[in-house]
Structure formats: structure tokens, C-alpha cells
């Protein structure tokens, strides 16, 4: 007899876990800046439309396929349409590679949590308060072994949670972590609102910046919003599909997809309200990516606020970022773990979750070595231990994708495999097997009639694939442009 895979303990537990996966670094260092720099309110409007049309559709597709076949992406695609099993492998591989840089970033976040915690009682003696933001970050990311230790701790924490199982580990953790994140985020938003000059931050986020719209054009704003939405909702890595495979039949799939997409978007906007007003209040330049999270915001707490209060707010802020990152990292890890367990279960072997979670965690430690040792692009030239891809391949005219190993992994996944994978899923559901393949699953929930089937049919057939092509082109041009 095959071993039982287990299920989520409750619907709210599942929602918190899925929102935990969606809410991550993307919400905090991507969304606020992209929104502000891409026309403000207009960006938000486009983002909302895309999330409603494409995000919910792809999410619904993943949850339905997962629940229908009760397996991760490889097993699900194999049963849905054997020729497309490769889409399942795409997503498992993407997830693994993403984990290999995401958890390195998680390690850096942990360093800042520990640093600010230590500074609360004696800010004047703490490096994190006295060093310049650029130096603190630069020194740490080039530090090699000590950076690797923080990353390994972050990874070990993820392994411990995931080895506890879906209900006993992930759900139990996210049920505490997500409410904690909400409380911390609100605390930061409220405190930041009291700062002089905060209003400029709200204006940056929410104002309609006609000059930016004119300069960038709606097309480019749409491309930015689409890429962001995609990563932010954890789509196309088989993660939502995997989470869906642990759902019981009573779960209403359409409703849950809408809730997850809505919650992720709300948190992204809230993150903006925590971050941007603080950046503007201290006269700093807003930016995106690691620079925003580790340099600009560090300066907000260490120099702008300063002293005990700066250390305390820094601790709270990086604490919430840590929660956001680890609830995402466990979801990616679960994708790989489910993949292995499904194979073993099919073969009638003992699934052995604990052992395989540790093994996969160890593989991530291995794959992440280049990411953790090239100083996030500083390279040997900049004092790091390992060469960047550009240095290694001797590419003079440095393009974004080979600047650092993180970008190199990112371009393979976020740049190519993920948009292609999601595009493939829409084509398979929309054109090859037909919407009925998921409609029957959605209606397997007692009392549910899928009145929106016609609408989703159009989304799967036309709207989502069109947007995904845009994302693919945009990613490729931005990475290789
Ligand atoms: N959605 C997460 C974020 O916004 C990132 C993520 C991507 C998590 C893919 C899991 C899978 O940061």
C-alpha cells in the first residue's frame, strides 16, 4: 500500500502558508520601488488588472492540477498530458535554482537581524550602527565563510521546518509567523508615518507621475508590472501546484486563488508604505533590489533614526523581512522535497521526508557556493573569493546576466524557464486538454459550480499566454539588452 501523503490541517492554515510563499523579498525590495519609479498609481492599476487576469488564472491552474492529481508538478503533468511532463521538470529545476540564491539573500537578512538585535542596548559600539551602509554590506558579502555561515543557518532553519511535514511543519510555522509579520509590518508603517517628510514617500508611491508615464510608456510599465506580479505570486515553479496537492476536496479553489492574490498585493502595497516614506524622510534616494534592502534601508535605521530607536526599528524591520523570506524559502524547498517523495511513494518505498529534506538542503548548500562567494558581483576584483561569471568566462562587456552568480541563476529561472513554464501550462489547459480538465476538479468540491468557467477559458487560451509572452520578451531584453 502507498504511504499517505498528508494534507493541510485547515483551510486557513493552507492560505497562510500560500500567502507566506507569495509574500517575500519580492514584495519588499521589488514592488515599492518599481511602483514608485514606474508611474506610481498607474503602475498599481496595471498591476491589479494583471493580477486579476493572469495571476489568479495561473494560480487557479496550479492549485487545481495539484489537487486533482495529488502530486507535485512532474507527476501532475505526466497524468494530465504525458508529452508535457517536461513542464513539470522545468518547474522543479527552477525552484531548486531559485532556492540556491534566495536562501543566500535570506542569510544576509539574518545577519542584519542579529546585528541590529545586538545594537539595541549599546548602539555606539555596534559595527552595524557605526559603519557606513555601503561598507557594512560590502564587507559582509565579500566575507566568504561568515556570509556562508549565515546562509547555512537560514537553510538549516528551512530544513527543520519542512522536515516537520506540510501540516506539522510548514502550516504550524506559518500560522504563527504570518500574523507576526502582519503585526511587525503595521508597527513599522505606523512609526514611519510619524517621521517628518514621510509624505514625499507616499507621493512617490501613490501619486500619478505623468512624466514617468510619458517617459517610460505604458508598454514598459506593463512589462515591469507583469514580471513583478509573476515572481511575487510564486508562480511557475510548481510551488502553488505542490501546495495544492495537499488540499482536501472541500477547499474552494477559485475563492482561495482570489484570496491569495489579493493578500499578496495588499502586503506589497503595505511594504511600500513601510519603506518609501522612511527613505524619503531621511533624504535618501529610492532604489530597488539588494541595494534598497541592504544599503538604503540600513542607512535609514543606522544613520537616519540612529541610536537605540534606530537599532530597535532595524531589528523589527529586518525581523519581518526574515519572516517573509523564510516562509517563501520553505515553500520552494517543499517543491523539491515533494518531487522526491512522490517518486518514492510511486515505487512503494518509504517516503522518508526527514532524510530527503536534509539531502536537498545539503545540495542547496553546494549549489549556492558560487552565489555566496562572489560577493554578489564584487568578484575577485572587488575582494570576494570567487570569480563572477563575467570574470570566469572573460566577458569584457558585462551584461546583467553575468554580473554575478545570483543574476546568472536568476536569468535561467525568472528570465526564461518560469515564463515558458507558465505559458506552457496555459496552452495545455486552454488548448490541449481543455478547461474541463480543471473545471471537473473545481466542481469536485461539494456545492461548487464553476460559473466562471467561460471566463477562465478565455484567460487560459488568450489573455494569460499573451501576457506571458510579454513577460518573456521583457525578461530576455532586460537581462541581455
Ligand atoms: N514570491 C516570493 C517573493 O515575492 C518569491 C518566491 C518565488 C517564493 C518563487 C517562492 C517561489 O519574494
Amino acid at each position: 500500500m502507498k504511504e499517505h501523503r498528508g494534507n493541510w490541517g485547515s483551510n486557513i492554515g493552507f492560505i497562510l502558508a500560500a500567502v507566506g510563499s507569495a509574500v517575500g523579498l519580492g514584495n519588499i525590495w521589488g514592488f515599492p520601488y518599481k511602483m514608485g519609479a514606474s508611474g506610481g498609481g498607474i503602475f498599481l492599476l496595471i498591476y491589479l488588472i494583471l493580477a486579476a487576469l493572469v495571476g489568479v488564472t495561473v494560480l487557479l491552474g496550479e492549485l487545481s492540477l495539484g489537487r486533482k492529481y495529488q502530486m507535485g508538478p512532474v507527476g501532475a503533468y505526466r497524468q494530465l498530458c504525458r508529452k508535457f511532463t517536461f513542464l513539470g521538470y522545468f518547474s522543479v529545476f527552477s525552484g531548486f535554482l531559485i532556492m540556491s540564491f534566495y536562501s543566500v539573500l535570506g542569510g544576509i537578512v539574518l545577519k542584519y537581524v542579529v546585528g541590529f538585535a545586538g545594537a539595541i542596548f549599546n548602539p555606539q559600539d555596534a559595527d552595524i550602527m557605526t559603519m557606513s551602509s555601503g561598507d557594512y554590506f560590502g564587507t559582509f558579502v565579500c566575507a566568504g565563510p561568515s556570509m556562508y555561515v549565515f546562509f547555512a543557518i537560514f537553510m538549516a532553519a528551512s530544513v527543520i521546518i519542512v522536515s516537520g511535514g506540510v501540516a506539522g511543519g510548514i502550516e504550524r510555522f506559518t500560522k504563527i509567523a504570518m500574523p507576526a509579520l502582519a503585526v511587525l509590518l503595521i508597527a513599522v508603517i505606523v512609526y514611519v508615518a510619524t517621521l517628518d517628510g514621510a509624505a514625499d514617500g507616499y507621493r512617490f508611491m501613490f501619486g500619478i507621475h505623468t512624466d514617468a508615464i510619458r517617459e517610460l510608456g505604458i508598454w514598459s510599465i506593463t512589462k515591469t508590472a507583469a514580471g513583478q506580479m509573476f515572481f511575487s505570486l510564486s508562480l511557475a515553479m510548481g510551488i502553488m501546484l505542490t501546495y495544492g496537492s495537499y488540499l482536501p476536496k472541500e477547499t474552494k479553489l477559485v475563492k482561495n486563488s482570489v484570496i491569495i492574490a489579493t493578500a499578496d498585493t495588499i502586503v506589497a502595497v503595505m511594504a511600500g508604505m513601510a519603506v518609501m516614506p522612511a527613505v524619503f524622510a531621511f533624504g535618501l534616494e529610492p532604489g530597488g533590489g539588494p541595494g534598497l534592502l541592504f544599503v538604503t534601508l540600513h542607512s535609514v535605521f543606522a544613520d537616519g533614526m540612529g541610536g537605540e530607536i534606530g537599532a530597535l526599528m532595524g531589528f523589527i524591520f529586518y525581523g519581518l523581512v526574515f519572516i517573509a523570506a523564510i516562509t517563501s524559502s520553505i515553500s520552494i524547498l517543499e517543491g523539491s522535497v515533494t518531487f522526491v517523495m512522490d517518486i518514492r511513494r510511486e515505487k512503494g518505498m518509504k517516503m522518508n521526508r526527514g532524510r530527503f529534506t536534509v539531502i536537498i538542503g545539503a545540495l542547496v548548500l553546494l549549489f549556492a557556493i558560487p552565489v555566496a562567494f562572489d560577493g554578489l558581483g564584487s568578484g575577485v576584483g572587488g575582494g570576494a573569493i570567487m570569480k563572477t561569471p563575467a570574470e570566469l568566462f572573460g566577458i569584457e562587456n558585462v551584461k546583467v546576466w553575468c554580473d554575478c552568480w545570483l543574476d546568472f541563476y536568476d536569468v535561467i529561472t525568472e528570465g526564461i524557464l518560469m515564463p515558458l513554464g507558465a505559458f506552457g501550462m496555459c496552452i495545455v489547459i486552454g488548448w490541449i486538454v481543455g478547461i474541463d480538465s480543471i473545471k471537473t476538479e473545481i466542481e469536485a468540491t461539494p456545492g461548487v459550480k464553476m460559473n466562471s468557467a467561460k471566463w477562465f477559458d478565455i484567460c487560459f487560451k488568450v489573455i494569460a499566454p499573451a501576457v506571458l509572452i510579454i513577460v518573456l520578451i521583457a525578461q530576455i531584453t532586460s537581462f541581455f539588452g
Side-chain angles (χ1 to χ4, degrees):
M1 221 185 83
K2 284 181 188 168
E3 198 178 332
H4 188 48
R5 293 172 86 244
N7 265 335
W8 298 105
S10 63
N11 194 44
I12 182 73
F14 157 69
I15 288 181
L16 289 174
V19 173
S21 171
V23 170
L25 296 175
N27 298 58
I28 295 161
W29 80 14
F31 188 88
Y33 174 69
K34 288 180 190 165
M35 178 167 160
S38 310
I42 244 338
F43 177 91
L44 181 60
L45 186 68
I46 295 176
Y47 186 95
L48 290 176
I49 295 172
L50 290 172
L53 296 183
V54 187
V56 173
T57 303
V58 178
L59 189 53
L60 178 66
E62 290 206 21
L63 292 181
S64 311
L65 292 183
R67 193 180 71 175
K68 179 165 181 176
Y69 298 111
Q70 306 274 298
M71 291 185 96
V74 173
Y77 276 109
R78 201 178 52 228
Q79 296 175 70
L80 175 72
C81 189
R82 210 183 170 85
K83 278 199 296 271
F84 288 89
T85 313
F86 73 92
L87 290 175
Y89 286 106
F90 266 25
S91 42
V92 173
F93 179 68
S94 299
F96 182 81
L97 222 49
I98 295 239
M99 193 160 42
S100 303
F101 67 79
Y102 203 83
S103 43
V104 173
L105 297 169
I108 308 180
V109 174
L110 182 60
K111 163 82 178 172
Y112 280 66
V113 176
V114 173
F116 277 117
I120 294 175
F121 297 106
N122 56 342
Q124 57 291 346
D125 303 325
D127 283 352
I128 198 164
M129 302 301 286
T130 54
M131 282 171 77
S132 87
S133 298
D135 284 349
Y136 189 78
F137 179 64
T139 315
F140 180 64
V141 294
C142 288
S146 71
M147 164 128 145
Y148 194 81
V149 167
F150 276 94
F151 148 60
I153 296 173
F154 182 86
M155 206 52 223
S158 310
V159 166
I160 290 171
I161 297 167
V162 170
S163 60
V166 169
I170 297 177
E171 182 172 350
R172 215 165 75 181
F173 178 72
T174 45
K175 259 179 146 165
I176 302 168
M178 294 309 287
L181 181 139
V183 171
L184 296 178
L185 186 56
I186 291 171
V188 176
I189 291 175
V190 170
Y191 178 74
V192 158
T194 64
L195 299 171
D196 276 343
D200 286 338
Y202 303 123
R203 241 172 260 130
F204 175 73
M205 281 280 294
F206 296 105
I208 309 263
H209 310 306
T210 41
D211 44 331
I213 301 170
R214 225 174 299 118
E215 208 173 291
L216 298 166
I218 289 292
W219 169 245
S220 138
I221 296 175
T222 306
K223 288 193 296 190
T224 309
Q228 170 67 25
M229 183 270 303
F230 217 67
F231 185 76
S232 187
L233 283 176
S234 305
L235 298 176
M237 255 170 291
I239 285 169
M240 291 300 178
L241 197 153
T242 300
Y243 272 15
S245 75
Y246 294 104
L247 279 174
K249 295 288 178 205
E250 299 81 64
T251 307
K252 298 193 167 117
L253 297 173
V254 176
K255 185 173 152 197
N256 276 303
S257 306
V258 174
I259 293 177
I260 295 165
T262 309
D264 180 60
T265 308
I266 292 176
V267 176
V269 173
M270 286 172 71
M273 293 168 64
V275 166
M276 286 305 162
V279 169
F280 279 88
F282 295 108
L284 298 165
E285 275 298 312
L292 171 67
L293 185 57
F294 298 120
V295 181
T296 313
L297 285 167
H298 171 262
S299 173
V300 162
F301 300 111
D303 313 324
M305 296 179 189
E308 282 84 2
I309 188 75
L312 178 66
M313 289 312 290
F315 172 65
I316 292 177
F317 177 77
Y318 286 99
L320 84 84
V321 179
F322 177 79
I323 294 176
I326 196 157
T327 51
S328 296
S329 129
I330 55 179
S331 73
I332 322 182
L333 181 55
E334 179 59 39
S336 296
V337 170
T338 294
F339 167 68
V340 175
M341 288 193 328
D342 280 348
I343 296 177
R344 295 181 57 85
R345 185 170 167 275
E346 287 265 278
K347 293 189 175 156
M349 294 191 262
K350 209 169 152 3
M351 292 196 290
N352 235 326
R353 169 178 281 269
R355 181 191 309 165
F356 286 97
T357 311
V358 172
I359 293 176
I360 293 166
L363 283 175
V364 174
L365 289 184
L366 215 61
F367 265 75
I369 286 177
V371 181
F373 286 102
D374 81 344
L376 289 192
S378 306
V380 251
I385 295 174
M386 260 189 83
K387 291 183 174 174
T388 63
E391 289 174 328
L392 191 67
F393 307 141
I395 304 170
E396 295 270 316
N397 186 3
V398 177
K399 300 266 195 292
V400 184
W401 65 274
C402 62
D403 270 354
C404 62
W405 285 98
L406 192 159
D407 283 338
F408 185 72
Y409 284 13
D410 197 28
V411 72
I412 299 175
T413 53
E414 223 195 320
I416 300 167
L417 291 179
M418 289 167 59
L420 269 184
F423 177 79
M425 186 185 84
C426 294
I427 298 300
V428 172
I429 294 179
W431 297 96
I432 297 177
V433 291
I435 185 87
D436 278 348
S437 59
I438 65 165
K439 182 169 180 252
T440 48
E441 182 56 35
I442 288 163
E443 296 188 342
T445 304
V448 169
K449 211 58 220 101
M450 191 187 177
N451 300 319
S452 48
K454 272 245 127 1
W455 160 249
F456 279 108
D457 193 30
I458 301 173
C459 290
F460 277 112
K461 278 200 171 94
V462 188
I463 303 177
V467 172
L468 286 161
I469 293 281
I470 297 177
V471 174
L472 188 62
I473 296 173
Q475 300 285 33
I476 291 178
T477 46
S478 79
F479 278 109
F480 296 99

